[in-house]
Amino acid sequence: AQSVTQLDSHVSVSEGTPVLLRCNYSSSYSPSLFWYVQHPNKGLQLLLKYTSAATLVKGINGFEAEFKKSETSFHLTKPSAHMSDAAEYFCVVSERWGAQKLVFGQGTRLTINP
Amino acid sequence: KAGVTQTPRYLIKTRGQQVTLSCSPISGHRSVSWYQQTPGQGLQFLFEYFSETQRNKGNFPGRFSGRQFSNSRSEMNVSTLELGDSALYLCASSTLSGGGDEQFFGPGTRLTVL
């Protein structure tokens, strides 16, 4: 069975400083991994995805994540936070093959201080 | 290209009633998945349909059901509503039939059960 643990329920950073949102996963098979973002009263938007190509994945809005199989981690980073980054972030795992079924982490709420 | 649309956006029902939610996927997408989002349980997978067939189902009681039509539009039904069914119900669609594909989410239907 697959599972995802987001290590921080809430992260607060100042505008212009780096962002780190931590995610560990568990999967019996070669996983696909995603980060989604949810702004208030909005649907989920894909930030980036890992599907077995390069381990360093670049996404939209300056975000990137590194897949580390030995550590079963897929942390999300951004060099410089912007006020518009304030949102809820979800780390997600899916089986590479077979039916679509996303397993979500509990989410990390990112707050940006001016 | 239009995104995933869900109707209605908001619903208020009373306990014991039933409800039907609708989802129109992105044109050309054949896979439609449903998720429930609550503050306590987070985002949980309900079921996934591909070419009118349910391929995968989450751990929800039989009161939750769904179907997909030949045009890929999908509906989910919840019978005998309970207070705990109050949630944001999200629909997602994707192009391919395999796992690990990016899913595009709609804005959700917020269901309130009184």
Side-chain angles (χ1 to χ4, degrees), chain B residues 60-85:
Chain B
F60 280 83
R63 300 185 297 107
F64 291 82
S65 62
R67 59 178 175 168
Q68 186 180 33
F69 302 95
S70 58
N71 62 358
S72 294
R73 190 177 70 84
S74 177
E75 290 181 346
M76 69 163 281
N77 183 276
V78 188
S79 62
T80 320
L81 284 166
E82 301 177 0
L83 294 179
D85 296 334

Side-chain angles (χ1 to χ4, degrees), chain B residues 34-90:
Chain B
W34 289 89
Y35 296 84
Q36 181 196 64
Q37 185 176 23
T38 60
Q41 299 299 316
L43 276 149
Q44 294 182 287
F45 172 78
L46 279 156
F47 29 65
E48 185 237 353
Y49 287 87
F50 181 80
S51 293
E52 302 178 63
T53 300
Q54 186 183 89
R55 293 199 303 179
N56 207 353
K57 190 177 185 335
N59 296 321
F60 280 83
R63 300 185 297 107
F64 291 82
S65 62
R67 59 178 175 168
Q68 186 180 33
F69 302 95
S70 58
N71 62 358
S72 294
R73 190 177 70 84
S74 177
E75 290 181 346
M76 69 163 281
N77 183 276
V78 188
S79 62
T80 320
L81 284 166
E82 301 177 0
L83 294 179
D85 296 334
S86 294
L88 181 67
Y89 290 88
L90 293 164

Side-chain angles (χ1 to χ4, degrees), chain A residues 36 38 46 95-96 98 100, chain B residues 35 37 94 99-103:
Chain A
Y36 279 86
Q38 187 176 36
L46 180 71
E95 290 183 19
R96 182 86 45 75
Q100 292 272 26
Chain B
Y35 296 84
Q37 185 176 23
S94 66
D101 303 324
E102 175 182 351
Q103 293 192 26

